[in-house]
Amino acid sequence: MPGTRKLGRPTDHRRAMLRAMVTYLLENGRIETTITRAKEVRSMAEKMITLAKEDSLANKRAAMAYITKEAVVKKLFDEIAPKYKEVSGGYCRIIKTGPRRGDAAEMCIIELV
């Protein structure tokens, strides 16, 4: 079930971290992070892309409420969402890269397909 992982952080810190990671993913197209964070980011990023597929003022405001940069929202509605107009899901890909050197956390790359 998406959105139930606590990621070892208080609610406000977790929400701010996920908002920043989703913004960065939509801005750059790929990020490197741990697998559990990537699964949460994938869930929210796919919701944002699905929201942006219908270009309305209400959807733009809903996206602006979650994504932290106005330029990224513009890019989402103008460039990213039109690419996935015919696709009904699966906009992100998670590729495992192995353990992190310091604490052996499983790392991965999450990117837009």
Side-chain angles (χ1 to χ4, degrees), residues 4-107:
T4 57
R5 293 181 186 90
K6 295 192 177 184
L7 303 173
R9 291 174 177 6
T11 305
D12 53 349
H13 185 185
R14 180 176 59 247
R15 191 173 297 140
M17 179 187 67
L18 290 175
R19 286 179 64 189
M21 290 179 79
V22 168
T23 302
Y24 192 77
L25 174 65
L26 294 174
E27 185 177 25
N28 297 314
R30 67 186 299 173
I31 54 176
E32 185 175 359
T33 184
T34 62
I35 291 178
T36 53
R37 284 184 191 174
K39 288 178 181 178
E40 287 297 306
V41 169
R42 174 179 60 186
S43 171
M44 289 311 301
E46 291 193 357
K47 286 178 185 173
M48 289 295 119
I49 293 171
T50 302
L51 185 75
K53 285 167 75 172
E54 182 186 334
D55 192 7
S56 68
L57 181 61
N59 287 349
K60 284 185 181 177
R61 286 180 175 169
M64 282 294 291
Y66 193 80
I67 297 171
T68 58
K69 294 182 181 176
E70 196 170 328
V72 176
V73 174
K74 182 165 177 46
K75 180 180 178 181
L76 175 65
F77 277 85
D78 295 343
E79 298 172 23
I80 297 172
K83 286 196 299 189
Y84 301 112
K85 215 48 160 172
E86 302 84 31
V87 184
S88 62
Y91 315 120
C92 298
R93 173 189 305 143
I94 295 177
I95 303 166
K96 295 180 182 180
T97 58
R100 183 164 50 195
R101 182 176 166 144
D103 59 355
E106 283 296 320
M107 297 297 286

